[in-house]
Amino acid sequence: MSAPTYHHGRLRQALIDAAADAVRERGPEDWSLRDVGRRVGVSHNAAYRHFAHRDDLVVVLSELTMARLVDALHQRLALVKGDDPVLRARRALAETGRGYVDFAISDPHLFRLAFTSTVATEPSPPPERDPYGVLSRVLDGLVEVGYLTPEARQDAELTCWSAVHGFSILCIEGPLRGAGDAERNGALEQVLVAIDRSYAATTGTVIGPDDLRVGA
């Protein structure tokens, strides 16, 4: 494999990019800082001047992956439009779930690195790098339009996150990993509809056959 080139003064970024490539090719565990240095074409001593330990790179990759996930969720939420505020809020939650699963499937090894690493990162990431915060704001929107009661809103992030994260893992390394797009998407819709109906039940909202799909 030929070593990637980098401009003078950009070795740190080159190491980060090479580490991301290593994770995507070999998984979240089977790589080292020495491997990353070799990919870039520098000695391990040169790499150590930017990252003293592999864990330092893991932290950076995890934070960057979380930021990319947040961007992906915002892009999905930007597609949610419509005049009905209740339907718009419901679709926002569904799109958040779809965006989360799509991101996990599209970049599974970095996704797993970000969520399974035991390396300590900052306990409260800023909003621009916090997918949990995105979900919180979407859930707050359901309360604002009267679709979800404040009492049921408490800790609703845990329910939603557990559902879509668990589904993502089933798709990456579980029984759904060999499923086709149609089968996987159909199963995900069942999960999202179940969450949607359970929240409607908290306020006694009567829901019709509205499709949670954006643009439906």
Side-chain angles (χ1 to χ4, degrees), residues 126-205:
E128 65 271 15
R129 290 192 282 113
D130 185 10
Y132 201 77
V134 175
L135 175 59
S136 292
R137 291 188 289 276
V138 170
L139 289 167
D140 288 343
L142 287 171
V143 176
E144 291 168 6
V145 299
Y147 194 74
L148 176 65
T149 64
E151 293 77 14
R153 166 69 183 84
Q154 185 174 0
D155 297 327
E157 291 93 343
L158 182 59
T159 301
C160 294
W161 201 317
S162 298
V164 296
H165 187 82
F167 187 89
S168 299
I169 297 302
L170 289 176
C171 293
I172 293 172
E173 55 188 33
L176 290 177
R177 66 184 179 276
D181 290 346
E183 180 183 358
R184 182 177 62 244
N185 292 339
L188 176 58
E189 291 308 304
Q190 291 182 355
V191 174
L192 298 177
V193 167
I195 293 173
D196 178 69
R197 289 177 177 171
S198 71
Y199 288 166
T202 69
T203 53
T205 304

Side-chain angles (χ1 to χ4, degrees), residues 77-165:
L77 289 172
L79 301 174
V80 180
K81 304 183 187 304
D83 297 328
D84 185 340
V86 174
L87 186 54
R88 194 166 59 243
R90 293 169 59 200
R91 287 179 173 175
L93 182 61
E95 273 309 288
T96 302
R98 294 186 192 103
Y100 189 96
V101 173
D102 285 350
F103 181 89
I105 294 172
S106 68
D107 210 346
H109 289 321
L110 279 172
F111 175 83
R112 289 173 57 221
L113 177 79
F115 282 101
T116 63
S117 171
T118 58
V119 178
T121 58
E122 54 190 301
S124 300
E128 65 271 15
R129 290 192 282 113
D130 185 10
Y132 201 77
V134 175
L135 175 59
S136 292
R137 291 188 289 276
V138 170
L139 289 167
D140 288 343
L142 287 171
V143 176
E144 291 168 6
V145 299
Y147 194 74
L148 176 65
T149 64
E151 293 77 14
R153 166 69 183 84
Q154 185 174 0
D155 297 327
E157 291 93 343
L158 182 59
T159 301
C160 294
W161 201 317
S162 298
V164 296
H165 187 82

Side-chain angles (χ1 to χ4, degrees), residues 46-79:
Y48 288 148
R49 283 197 287 271
H50 292 275
F51 298 98
H53 194 274
R54 176 185 181 276
D55 286 349
D56 296 336
L57 259 176
V58 171
V59 170
V60 172
L61 289 177
S62 296
E63 292 175 347
L64 291 174
T65 301
M66 288 295 189
R68 288 177 48 234
L69 173 55
V70 168
D71 288 342
L73 296 180
H74 283 157
Q75 290 172 14
R76 298 297 288 255
L77 289 172
L79 301 174

